């Protein structure tokens, strides 16, 4: 039998199909010492066979962008009672199926708000002021050969539309104000006590905005929400920053708009089919590309780890979960 | 912008005379039509647009020149000032005035105005952008993706293995909680402080003198500031006192994980020393908009992912050029109507 070298058989078992980034960094410190990790990715067996053979009594599973928990996988885990998301998103978890079967789901919401906000602003400044493009220009010896780099555009006075005003969106808004930007937003519902103008839909928001920053979760309503119509409304100088989920934007249409100059530029940490990047984007200097990691910081990872471990510990000792999503 | 009093069209001989001081290769920005707009307020004398030899042109007009605009880094020396006995105002079009002999101006009673306030927002935005870029490796990761390495390596290396465990490179850090030391808390430094405060940074500063109305801790020495900082942002003028103010001692005091952002002048930093420290990993990273010998950038920096290089453009957007134009005109008009100047460079 594979994988029978557990140090202690008394530790509660947690299934990991593919390691989330926090596990890669904090396995020794946090997780392994408290739980017995069933590491599906280390097995040579195909996943369904592995699960059927070894995961029959597994009650808890970790999930992240790389390891979706689909109805098919849930069916192979008859003892499953909790899915613990180990990253910001939960769109990869079949929530309906979990709800139907009474399987708890926890997230790490709130942990990455500041990290994400710093990153979003970094990308916005980069696209508007062409920082990465100018850095490339210098590294290619062109400052010497060709002289000054073309001008960027000022942040102050720009109307920035935040799509989704949760913890992350609010952290972005606070930073934008310090640059003299005018903050607008769209959310499922208007937020009381928030000083920024609310727009009922993304299209209206885009009409009034110079830039859009995507801060919402990916779900059925938000999939491909940023489409050609929205992008044309944003306009030729408009910038899109996405560090949420690639599929919130209709990527094919975005690429077309960028290539045709129908929008002004984009900063993208996420794409629809990572790590595949549409070839056309490599030609564009008004696009900043990031391999789905700009949000990550040691602090964020530590906090996420503590929340994951906290939820698992609460679950295994029948205590209230720290960050359950099932009430939404 | 109407002249004071009447709306009459003045003939150009009646408009105040302003000399344009520049090298032939440096011109007014073509947008927003600087020169054309200036001509509606002032009678511009530009020796490079006259067939007459430079010295002769200057000599002929010397006694009617009370104000000049200087464009580009062309020095204004004591010798040059001797040719203009009636000069009372120099309007610089850059934030820095290190190319102007300020003591000579002072002794001749010539006021100097700079343009920092026109650029302050832009330079501060760029300083923050460079800092986030260095800390979060934005440009390096963009290169990684563009080199098509992402599908091969599966993920951008976030850190390195230390004794068997993968750890973060220390500088992939949150801005919040970082101690930022601002060197020079003038108009640009203040805007940097305002922005970084919103990210949760703690601000401290060094300046020629402590500023009583400012809530941030003051350090009289840049070395002490560095010892208490995670990041240094250089926003001060280049003078004899600040030449190479960032030297080996300061860099060592800042420490292995420290980051330096320079949006002032290249020579604020002992560049040779900085490059060596970066190459040896004795400092965490740097974001540089200025260099000692532009546009030459030390080649060693091209190998480094913890350095972001910017071709001296932190100040420049179409919007800052508009603001610059308005500031230039406002200073000139104030001078010619004996009103207080807007952006007078204060005495050291």
């Amino acid at each position: 039998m594979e994988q029978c070298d557990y140090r202690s058989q008394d530790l509660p078992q947690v299934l990991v199909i593919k390691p989330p980034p926090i596990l890669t960094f904090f396995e020794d410190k946090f997780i392994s010492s408290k739980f017995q990790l069933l590491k599906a990715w280390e097995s040579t067996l195909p996943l369904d066979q592995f699960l059927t053979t070894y995961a029959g009594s597994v009650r808890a599973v970790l999930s992240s962008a790389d390891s979706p928990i689909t109805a098919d996988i849930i069916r192979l885990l008859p003892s499953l009672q909790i899915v613990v998301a180990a990253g910001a998103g939960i769109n990869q978890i079949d929530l309906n199926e979990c709800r139907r079967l009474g399987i708890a789901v926890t997230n790490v919401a709130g942990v990455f708000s500041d990290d994400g906000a710093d990153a979003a602003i970094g990308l916005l400044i980069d696209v508007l002021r062409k920082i990465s493009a100018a850095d490339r220009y210098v590294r290619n010896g062109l400052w010497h050969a060709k002289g000054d780099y073309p001008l960027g555009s000022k942040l102050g006075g720009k109307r920035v539309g935040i799509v989704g005003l949760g913890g992350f969106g609010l952290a972005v808004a606070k930073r934008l104000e310090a640059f003299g930007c005018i903050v607008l937003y769209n959310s499922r519902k208007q937020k009381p006590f928030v000083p920024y103008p609310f727009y009922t839909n993304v299209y209206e928001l885009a009409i009034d905005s110079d830039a859009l920053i995507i801060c919402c979760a990916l779900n059925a309503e938000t999939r491909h929400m940023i489409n050609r119509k929205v992008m044309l409304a944003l306009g030729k100088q408009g910038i899109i920053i996405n560090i949420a989920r690639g599929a919130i934007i209709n990527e094919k249409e975005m690429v077309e708009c960028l290539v045709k100059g129908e929008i002004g530029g984009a900063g993208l940490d996420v794409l629809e089919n990572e790590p595949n990047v549409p070839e056309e984007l490599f030609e564009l200097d008004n696009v900043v590309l990031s391999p789905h990691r700009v949000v990550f910081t040691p602090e964020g990872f530590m906090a996420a780890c503590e929340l994951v471990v906290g939820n698992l510990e609460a679950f295994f000792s029948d205590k209230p979960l720290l960050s359950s999503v099932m009430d939404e | 912008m109407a002249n004071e009093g009447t709306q009459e069209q003045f003939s150009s001989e009646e408009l105040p005379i302003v000399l344009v001081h520049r090298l032939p290769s440096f011109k007014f920005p073509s947008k927003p039509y600087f020169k054309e707009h200036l001509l509606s307020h002032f009678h511009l004398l530009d020796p490079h647009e006259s067939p007459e030899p430079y010295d002769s042109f200057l000599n002929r007009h010397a006694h009617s020149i009370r104000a000049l605009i200087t464009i580009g880094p062309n020095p204004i020396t004591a010798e040059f000032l001797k040719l203009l006995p009636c000069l009372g105002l120099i309007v610089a079009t850059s934030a820095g005035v290190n190319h102007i002999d300020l003591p000579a101006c002072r002794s001749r009673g010539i006021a100097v105005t700079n343009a920092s306030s026109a650029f302050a927002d832009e330079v501060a935005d760029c300083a923050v952008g460079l800092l986030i870029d260095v800390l979060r490796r934005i440009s390096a990761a963009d290169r990684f993706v563009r080199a098509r390495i992402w599908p091969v390596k599966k993920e951008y290396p976030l850190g390195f293995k230390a004794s068997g465990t993968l750890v973060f490179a220390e500088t992939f850090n949150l801005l919040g909680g970082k101690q930022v030391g601002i060197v020079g808390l003038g108009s640009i430094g203040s805007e940097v402080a305002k922005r970084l405060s919103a990210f949760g940074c703690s601000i401290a500063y060094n300046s020629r003198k402590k500023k009583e109305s400012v809530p941030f801790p003051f350090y009289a020495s840049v070395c002490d500031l560095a010892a208490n900082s995670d990041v240094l942002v250089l926003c001060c003028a280049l003078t004899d006192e600040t030449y190479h103010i960032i030297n080996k001692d300061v860099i060592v005091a800042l420490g292995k994980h420290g980051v330096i952002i320079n949006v002032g002048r290249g020579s604020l930093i002992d560049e040779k020393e900085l490059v060596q420290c970066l190459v040896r990993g004795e400092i965490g990273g740097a974001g540089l908009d200025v260099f000692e010998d532009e546009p030459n950038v030390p080649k060693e920096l091209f190998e480094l992912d913890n350095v972001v290089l910017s071709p001296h453009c932190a100040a420049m957007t179409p919007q800052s050029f508009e603001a610059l134009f308005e500031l230039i005109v406002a200073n000139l008009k104030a001078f010619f109507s004996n009103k207080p100047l807007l952006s007078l460079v204060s005495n050291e």
Side-chain angles (χ1 to χ4, degrees):
Chain A
M1 179 178 150
E2 299 173 342
Q3 308 226 22
C4 55
D5 247 358
Y6 303 124
R7 303 238 175 92
S8 162
Q9 305 276 2
D10 295 338
L11 295 179
Q13 229 185 18
V14 177
L15 172 65
V16 186
I17 297 173
K18 273 210 202 128
I22 60 169
L23 194 68
T24 310
F25 284 89
F26 293 119
E27 176 175 342
D28 290 355
K29 273 197 190 146
F30 280 94
I31 303 183
S32 278
S33 55
K34 300 182 184 230
F35 309 104
Q36 196 190 111
L37 297 181
L38 196 51
K39 299 179 181 177
W41 81 90
E42 286 183 350
S43 168
T44 49
L45 291 177
L47 181 63
D48 50 353
Q49 233 188 301
F50 178 88
L51 296 183
T52 319
T53 315
Y54 299 116
S57 53
V58 152
R59 297 170 60 206
V61 65
L62 292 188
S63 173
S64 60
D66 268 353
S67 44
I69 304 298
T70 60
D72 288 337
I73 289 179
I74 293 174
R75 211 170 338 100
L76 296 171
L77 300 169
S79 311
L80 187 66
Q81 291 175 295
I82 185 169
V83 177
V84 176
I90 53 171
N91 53 286
Q92 75 278 6
I93 301 169
D94 189 331
L95 296 175
N96 286 331
E97 189 68 1
C98 289
R99 210 173 277 119
R100 189 176 74 82
L101 294 170
I103 297 170
V105 178
T106 62
N107 65 7
V108 291
V111 149
F112 291 114
S113 291
D114 285 333
D115 315 45
D118 292 352
I121 301 295
L123 286 175
L124 179 67
I125 301 176
D126 193 328
V127 177
L128 278 174
R129 298 297 301 278
K130 308 181 195 285
I131 294 183
S132 289
D135 175 275
R136 261 198 306 284
Y137 184 79
V138 175
R139 282 170 195 260
N140 287 334
L142 295 174
W143 189 19
H144 202 274
K146 288 174 75 175
D148 289 340
Y149 194 72
L151 299 183
S153 185
K154 182 174 184 167
L155 264 91
K158 293 254 185 309
R159 302 168 66 83
V160 181
I162 299 183
V163 182
L165 204 70
F168 168 33
L170 281 168
V172 171
K174 173 173 150 203
R175 286 151 176 76
L176 287 172
E177 290 191 282
F179 290 84
C181 294
I182 297 158
V183 176
L184 320 167
Y185 77 103
N186 158 254
S187 222
R188 268 172 310 189
K189 290 194 301 272
Q190 184 164 9
K191 312 261 169 184
F193 316 121
V194 144
Y196 318 122
F198 170 73
Y199 289 73
T200 49
N201 66 65
V202 169
Y203 173 71
E204 301 289 333
L205 181 68
I207 291 177
D208 261 6
S209 299
D210 301 309
L212 291 179
I213 302 189
I214 314 298
C215 302
C216 59
L218 173 63
N219 51 46
E221 286 82 46
T222 63
R223 175 172 293 274
H224 282 194
M225 181 170 69
I226 309 299
N227 54 24
R228 184 179 162 75
K229 182 172 167 219
V230 170
M231 287 185 265
L232 290 181
L234 188 60
K236 283 186 181 314
Q237 313 289 332
I239 308 283
I240 298 182
I241 303 297
N242 189 5
I243 65 169
R245 281 288 178 268
I248 295 172
I249 300 180
N250 182 323
E251 193 162 289
K252 201 151 154 290
E253 290 179 359
M254 175 185 64
V255 171
E256 264 178 49
C257 286
L258 282 165
V259 166
K260 291 193 199 149
E262 284 166 342
I263 58 170
L268 308 168
D269 185 51
V270 286
L271 293 165
E272 287 209 66
N273 185 23
E274 298 164 17
N276 298 307
V277 178
E279 194 61 36
E280 299 92 319
L281 297 185
F282 293 128
E283 307 300 313
L284 300 174
D285 267 353
N286 58 348
V287 176
V288 178
L289 300 166
S290 177
H292 199 158
R293 38 69 61 200
V294 77
V295 173
F296 301 160
T297 64
E299 293 90 342
F301 271 28
M302 293 279 281
C305 223
E306 280 172 15
L307 198 48
V308 163
V309 168
N311 275 305
L312 285 169
E313 286 181 329
F315 169 72
F316 285 117
S317 42
D318 288 320
K319 297 218 172 80
L321 300 171
L322 302 179
S323 54
S324 166
V325 299
M326 296 313 267
D327 316 309
E328 294 191 9
Chain B
M1 289 194 183
N3 279 326
E4 277 177 6
T6 74
Q7 302 275 347
E8 291 163 34
Q9 284 284 74
F10 290 107
S11 67
S12 69
E13 280 75 39
E14 288 164 347
L15 293 175
I17 292 171
V18 178
L19 175 72
V20 179
H21 174 265
R22 64 182 177 94
L23 288 171
S25 52
F26 280 83
K27 303 194 171 92
F28 283 113
S30 53
K31 299 226 170 89
Y33 309 109
F34 257 70
K35 193 167 149 207
E36 290 74 8
H37 288 155
L38 280 175
L39 285 170
S40 63
H41 299 282
F42 308 104
H43 177 61
L44 295 182
L45 291 179
D46 192 341
H48 293 298
E49 295 197 342
S50 160
E52 196 177 344
Y54 190 95
D55 291 340
S56 153
F57 180 98
L58 210 57
N59 193 43
R60 188 158 61 78
H61 291 279
H63 288 277
S64 55
I65 295 172
R66 295 180 58 212
L68 71 80
I69 298 179
T70 177
I71 305 173
N74 193 16
I76 292 188
T77 60
E79 286 65 44
F80 177 80
L81 294 176
K82 287 202 184 100
L83 303 172
L84 300 170
C86 301
L87 190 67
L89 173 68
I90 294 174
V91 175
T93 54
S94 51
V97 292
N98 50 290
H99 56 301
I100 299 173
D101 188 335
L102 293 177
C105 291
R106 207 163 25 254
S107 68
R108 302 177 76 89
I110 299 171
V112 178
T113 62
N114 72 0
S116 312
S117 55
F119 301 126
D121 285 341
E122 268 80 355
V123 177
D125 292 351
C126 191
V128 175
L130 288 172
L131 178 58
I132 301 177
D133 193 325
V134 173
L135 287 176
R136 306 295 271 275
R137 299 286 192 274
I138 295 181
S139 291
D142 177 88
R143 276 197 294 284
F144 172 85
V145 176
R146 282 169 189 271
R148 292 157 166 80
I149 303 176
W150 189 12
V152 177
K153 280 221 168 142
K154 301 293 188 291
E155 60 185 33
Y156 181 77
L158 285 171
F160 49 89
K161 278 204 188 289
S163 51
T165 326
L166 196 62
V167 299
F168 265 100
E170 293 293 335
T171 51
F172 281 95
N173 276 357
L174 210 50
L175 264 98
K178 283 236 181 294
Q179 314 261 51
V180 174
I182 300 182
V183 182
L185 203 68
S187 42
I188 294 173
S190 305
E191 292 298 328
V192 172
K194 178 170 135 200
R195 283 149 177 74
L196 289 179
S197 298
F199 286 80
C201 297
S202 304
I203 310 288
Y205 73 104
N206 161 261
S207 221
R208 274 168 308 188
K209 288 194 301 275
K210 183 171 178 194
K211 309 207 177 224
E212 294 308 328
S213 55
V214 152
F216 311 125
F218 168 77
Y219 288 85
S221 104
V222 173
C223 220
D224 287 343
L225 180 68
N228 287 283
S229 299
D230 303 305
V231 176
L232 285 182
V233 184
L234 310 184
C235 304
C236 60
L238 177 64
T239 63
D240 290 335
E241 287 79 41
T242 62
Y243 177 81
H244 282 197
I245 196 174
I246 307 301
N247 55 24
K248 181 152 177 89
D249 290 340
V250 172
I251 297 174
V252 165
L254 187 62
K256 265 180 89 81
H257 306 304
V259 175
I260 295 183
I261 304 297
N262 191 2
V263 290
R265 282 285 178 271
S267 297
L268 291 172
I269 303 180
D270 180 344
E271 193 166 278
K272 215 150 143 277
E273 195 61 55
L274 176 68
V275 170
Q276 270 179 41
C277 289
L278 282 163
V279 165
R280 295 197 291 243
E282 289 167 6
I283 184 178
L288 307 169
D289 182 55
V290 285
F291 304 86
E292 292 216 71
D293 179 33
E294 295 165 18
N296 297 307
V297 175
K299 298 276 182 296
E300 299 92 316
L301 298 182
F302 296 162
E303 309 299 314
L304 301 174
D305 271 353
N306 58 344
V307 177
V308 181
L309 305 166
S310 174
H312 201 158
C313 53
M316 300 187 207
T317 63
Q319 295 86 354
S320 68
F321 283 152
E322 295 261 1
L324 172 65
F325 173 76
E326 284 172 21
L327 186 60
I328 290 171
V329 170
N331 273 312
L332 285 168
K333 285 185 155 192
F335 174 75
F336 285 116
S337 40
N338 293 316
K339 297 224 167 85
L341 298 168
L342 275 75
S343 55
L344 184 65
V345 174
S346 56
N347 292 335
E348 320 257 322

